[in-house]
Amino acid sequence: MKSYFIANGAVMLHILENGVISENTPSLLIINGLWESAERAIPLLSEIPGHVVTFSFRGRGLSSTPKSNYNLENHLSDIEAVISYCGLKNYCVLGFSRGAVYAIGWSLSNQKDMCGLILVDQAPIHRSVGKEALDFWSKLVYLQVPILNYMRLEALQGLENDADEVDFSERLSKLRIPVALFVGRNAVAKIPSDISEETLKIYKESIPELNVIEFQYSGHMIPDEEQQKYIEEVGLFLQKLI
């Protein structure tokens, strides 16, 4: 597994990459959640065969932390920098949590080079980050680790200042690539699923060929709560794209 840095303008992005590009199998680009660093995706990088890439967005993990520029377009520019540097073609994008919204935003404008999209437990809305959300995230401890160990407070504040709400619901029908939606179904999970029945209906009606995969023992945190099934389902979806 390779670990290195690339520049997106003045921002340095940390990348983890495993395997090499192949004409026979699609690459997988993993886009992590709001606070997650690239290292959170190591289980997928380690077990998914073929070429797999992930990275830490600005302000997360080992990537640098600008004082501003944390809106949707800035995050999409981080994705563009990674894809361009890695030379990804015929690739599938996996987005978890808020990363799924970035994945949707990217996919709607870049389907020509993509072969698939996996969305993990997230409504198709890029939400703003208000003061209440900032307080919540800055104090959150997940699996005994403070979120601020993964994401700098300056980045959370940047999201509060810059992140505007963008609803992609009415544009989902423009997706012309295979799409899988992973949904947590454990109603008593500590962190509940972000997919309500209304949201699931929007996805199904907008993407007729949508492949919905349910995780009965997970809430929102599918990659942790059912890690082995998560890895297996990602692998199965990639196999269908060959």
Side-chain angles (χ1 to χ4, degrees), residues 4 14 16 21 37-38 42 52 58 67-68 72 84 93 96-97 100 109 126 133 135 143 165 172 177 196 226 233:
Y4 56 92
H14 178 224
L16 293 177
I21 292 176
S37 64
I42 284 177
V52 187
R58 57 188 61 212
K67 293 181 179 179
S68 59
L72 174 61
S84 176
V93 174
F96 165 62
S97 192
S109 299
H126 178 266
D135 290 343
L143 296 180
E165 184 160 308
L172 292 174
I177 52 178
S196 66
E226 288 184 79
E233 293 292 353

Side-chain angles (χ1 to χ4, degrees), residues 43-112:
L44 275 178
L45 270 84
S46 300
E47 296 200 37
I48 293 295
H51 184 233
V52 187
V53 177
T54 192
F55 67 100
S56 295
F57 277 117
R58 57 188 61 212
R60 288 81 152 178
L62 298 178
S63 294
S64 60
T65 307
K67 293 181 179 179
S68 59
N69 298 323
Y70 287 90
N71 62 24
L72 174 61
E73 293 304 320
N74 299 135
H75 286 80
L76 295 182
S77 79
D78 287 349
I79 297 172
E80 181 177 17
V82 172
I83 288 174
S84 176
Y85 184 89
C86 294
L88 298 186
K89 301 283 185 181
N90 184 40
Y91 62 94
C92 176
V93 174
L94 180 154
F96 165 62
S97 192
R98 192 179 183 91
V101 182
Y102 297 135
I104 292 171
W106 175 260
S107 301
L108 285 168
S109 299
N110 296 278
Q111 296 180 76
K112 66 183 185 300

Side-chain angles (χ1 to χ4, degrees), residues 21-240:
I21 292 176
S22 168
E23 294 182 358
N24 300 320
T25 58
S27 296
L28 175 66
L29 174 68
I30 302 166
I31 302 177
N32 299 294
L34 181 144
W35 51 266
E36 293 187 302
S37 64
E39 289 79 6
R40 286 273 297 155
I42 284 177
L44 275 178
L45 270 84
S46 300
E47 296 200 37
I48 293 295
H51 184 233
V52 187
V53 177
T54 192
F55 67 100
S56 295
F57 277 117
R58 57 188 61 212
R60 288 81 152 178
L62 298 178
S63 294
S64 60
T65 307
K67 293 181 179 179
S68 59
N69 298 323
Y70 287 90
N71 62 24
L72 174 61
E73 293 304 320
N74 299 135
H75 286 80
L76 295 182
S77 79
D78 287 349
I79 297 172
E80 181 177 17
V82 172
I83 288 174
S84 176
Y85 184 89
C86 294
L88 298 186
K89 301 283 185 181
N90 184 40
Y91 62 94
C92 176
V93 174
L94 180 154
F96 165 62
S97 192
R98 192 179 183 91
V101 182
Y102 297 135
I104 292 171
W106 175 260
S107 301
L108 285 168
S109 299
N110 296 278
Q111 296 180 76
K112 66 183 185 300
D113 292 324
M114 295 175 58
C115 60
L117 174 63
I118 303 173
L119 305 174
V120 184
D121 207 79
Q122 182 70 18
I125 302 173
H126 178 266
R127 302 191 186 281
S128 58
V129 177
K131 182 66 165 63
E132 184 176 336
L134 174 64
D135 290 343
F136 170 81
W137 288 112
S138 63
K139 296 173 182 176
L140 182 64
V141 176
Y142 177 67
L143 296 180
Q144 301 181 328
V145 180
I147 293 308
L148 293 183
N149 280 25
Y150 300 101
M151 181 180 190
R152 262 75 69 199
L153 179 60
E154 293 87 348
L156 280 171
Q157 292 169 334
L159 286 172
E160 182 189 21
N161 293 331
D162 299 340
D164 295 323
E165 184 160 308
V166 179
D167 191 339
F168 288 111
S169 299
E170 294 186 359
R171 298 174 59 190
L172 292 174
S173 60
K174 296 182 179 180
L175 291 170
R176 300 287 186 248
I177 52 178
V179 180
L181 177 66
F182 291 7
V183 182
R185 284 302 196 185
N186 183 2
V188 296
K190 187 174 181 179
I191 302 177
S193 171
D194 272 358
I195 304 292
S196 66
E197 290 302 319
E198 180 181 358
T199 297
L200 184 56
K201 181 180 178 183
I202 290 171
Y203 272 118
K204 287 181 175 179
E205 291 180 350
S206 302
I207 311 173
E209 301 301 319
L210 180 72
N211 184 11
V212 177
I213 300 168
E214 297 183 345
F215 289 76
Q216 299 296 334
Y217 303 103
S218 299
H220 182 60
M221 303 303 292
I222 292 171
D224 295 320
E225 292 170 321
E226 288 184 79
Q227 185 177 100
Q228 198 54 47
K229 180 181 178 180
Y230 175 62
I231 293 169
E232 289 172 359
E233 293 292 353
V234 172
L236 288 171
F237 183 75
L238 291 173
Q239 282 291 321
K240 294 176 182 178

